[in-house]
């Protein structure tokens, strides 16, 4: 699946879930799925992960736009990379677009996944973290598969 298609699909699914939560729950409402373990809890987050940079919408929007611009600039290298790199970039970009849409339209992000031992988060956050995990794995354990080979290691001459 092309990176752009995956990113758009992730953003659409994220926005659909958030719309469903907002239209079927009241702010602060919590529905136990597994009591005291996992709840669907509707909150608004004016910051980034763990509510850091609270009410710094302009900074968070600029950071997301900058990251997406960098991905667009390096797209030709990404498209030539291994499938795990492309998957990671697509997940990361889709999650970033989903949360960026929230921030631009409302100034906050809709969070709803509540595991009770962790701050409440959303589906875009899951995509971002999973995407970054794919990117880190590729860079750390599969550097020879990246366009240009492994950084810091001389290319084998044939």
């Amino acid at each position: 699946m092309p990176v752009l298609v995956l990113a758009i699909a992730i953003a659409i699914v994220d926005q659909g879930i958030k719309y469903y939560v907002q239209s079927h729950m009241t702010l602060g409402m919590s529905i136990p799925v597994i009591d005291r373990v996992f709840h669907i809890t509707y909150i608004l987050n004016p910051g980034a992960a763990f509510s850091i940079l609270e009410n710094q919408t302009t900074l968070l929007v600029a950071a997301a736009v900058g990251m997406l611009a960098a991905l667009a600039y390096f797209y030709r290298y990404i498209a030539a990379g291994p499938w795990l790199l492309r998957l990671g970039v697509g997940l990361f970009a889709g999650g970033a677009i989903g949360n960026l849409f929230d921030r631009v339209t409302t100034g906050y992000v809709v969070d709803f996944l509540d595991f009770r031992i962790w701050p409440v988060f959303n589906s875009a956050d899951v995509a971002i973290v999973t995407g970054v995990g794919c990117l880190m794995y590729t860079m750390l354990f599969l550097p020879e598969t990246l366009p240009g080979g492994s950084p810091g290691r001389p290319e084998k001459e044939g």
Side-chain angles (χ1 to χ4, degrees):
M1 176 179 291
V3 174
L4 186 57
V5 172
L6 177 59
I8 291 169
I10 293 292
I12 289 170
V13 167
D14 172 68
Q15 287 299 301
I17 294 169
K18 289 174 181 175
Y19 175 79
Y20 185 86
V21 166
Q22 288 180 298
S23 62
H24 289 83
M25 297 178 72
T26 58
L27 190 58
M29 183 177 177
S30 187
I31 302 169
V33 177
I34 302 172
D35 197 32
R36 292 178 291 179
V37 175
F38 175 62
H39 291 221
I40 303 297
T41 302
Y42 172 26
I43 67 165
L44 302 176
N45 181 356
F50 307 112
S51 294
I52 61 171
L53 300 173
E54 194 168 319
N55 298 313
Q56 299 296 313
T57 303
T58 303
L59 175 64
L60 294 169
V61 166
V65 169
M67 289 300 297
L68 292 170
L71 293 176
Y73 180 79
F74 290 107
Y75 184 77
R76 68 174 178 239
Y77 301 108
I78 294 165
W83 72 270
L84 193 58
L85 174 75
R86 295 190 313 268
L87 175 66
V89 169
L91 289 168
F92 175 82
I97 292 166
N99 281 343
L100 177 62
F101 183 82
D102 285 358
R103 284 195 178 90
V104 168
T105 58
T106 64
Y108 55 81
V109 172
V110 174
D111 285 338
F112 53 88
L113 298 172
D114 182 3
F115 282 92
R116 298 295 173 170
I117 60 168
W118 197 259
V120 183
F121 57 100
N122 64 47
S123 49
D125 298 334
V126 173
I128 291 168
V129 170
T130 305
V132 168
C134 291
L135 296 173
M136 289 175 57
Y137 185 88
T138 302
M139 288 187 258
L140 291 173
F141 299 108
L142 306 171
E144 67 281 355
T145 66
L146 297 170
S150 175
R153 293 188 205 162
E155 294 288 326
K156 288 187 177 182
E157 293 184 23

